[in-house]
Amino acid sequence: CIRDSAYSLSQLGEFDKAEAYFDKVMEINPNHRLLYHRHAVFCIETGKMYEAGEYIAKAEEIDPDHPRNSYYRALFHAARGEKEKALEIYDSPSFAIYSLLGMKDEAFRIGLEGMETGWGSYYLQLKNSPLYDNLRDDVRFKEILEKAKEQYEELSNFYKDL
């Protein structure tokens, strides 16, 4: 599926390839909220903030009551360095939002809790996404990434025969 290819390529850090897939899937299915949210994250990761804001607004227009709208709106503001606005919009703990805001201790508290519940499926995102660049030099991030890799490999082995 083109949608999954776009998302997978972005998770792998293949942003140039992912962009073409995102554009194509938006042509095919222009009224899908999740596509706009995922495309917005892709735009945040690649520094296309104007487009990210447009995609978030479109997702909110399509499904104004969706509970994840506030997360993506806050992520957008966090990427722009608008700390108060981001935290006001989304008052739940978020590894990515805290990372973008440079709130390392808060991010790592969430990250370590996440490892306990299994973040193996997030390994590629943690490894490749610029959302976590503020954390990469910290030994705690390296520990989280290594644990996520172990969990990812366990999941891969478990599902390898499917």
Side-chain angles (χ1 to χ4, degrees):
C1 165
I2 295 172
R3 179 193 69 218
D4 294 336
S5 295
Y7 184 67
S8 296
L9 286 165
S10 69
Q11 296 300 293
L12 290 168
E14 306 247 355
F15 297 113
D16 290 340
K17 291 179 184 176
E19 186 165 27
Y21 282 90
F22 272 115
D23 291 343
K24 186 66 175 171
V25 76
M26 299 304 281
E27 286 177 28
I28 294 169
N29 194 352
N31 293 310
H32 194 285
R33 177 208 47 86
L34 179 59
L35 295 177
Y36 283 96
H37 279 157
R38 286 193 174 167
H39 203 159
V41 172
F42 169 79
C43 288
I44 290 168
E45 291 173 324
T46 56
K48 298 176 181 174
M49 297 306 293
Y50 177 80
E51 292 89 340
E54 293 291 312
Y55 289 130
I56 291 168
K58 182 65 176 174
E60 292 168 343
E61 179 185 313
I62 291 169
D63 189 354
D65 298 322
H66 196 279
R68 295 293 286 169
N69 285 342
S70 61
Y71 169 77
Y72 291 100
R73 177 63 62 187
L75 189 71
F76 171 74
H77 288 291
R80 292 172 45 137
E82 299 168 346
K83 182 177 182 177
E84 292 80 21
K85 199 165 202 173
L87 295 176
E88 178 185 316
I89 291 169
Y90 192 73
D91 60 2
S92 297
S94 166
F95 192 59
I97 290 172
Y98 289 158
S99 172
L100 287 168
L101 293 172
M103 299 172 63
K104 290 184 177 186
D105 290 336
E106 294 85 346
F108 288 123
R109 182 176 42 80
I110 299 305
L112 293 171
E113 289 173 10
M115 286 291 90
E116 297 303 317
T117 60
W119 271 14
S121 61
Y122 295 105
Y123 169 67
L124 294 174
Q125 181 182 22
L126 292 170
K127 180 182 175 198
N128 297 307
S129 177
L131 299 179
Y132 307 105
D133 285 352
N134 286 335
L135 307 176
R136 292 194 192 286
D137 292 337
D138 193 299
V139 68
R140 295 172 290 182
F141 185 80
K142 292 174 175 123
E143 291 171 4
I144 288 170
L145 190 61
E146 186 58 36
K147 182 70 173 168
K149 181 179 180 182
E150 290 171 14
Q151 293 173 356
Y152 174 81
E153 289 171 349
E154 287 175 19
L155 287 170
S156 295
N157 286 332
F158 183 78
Y159 292 108
K160 70 181 176 192
D161 295 328
L162 292 179

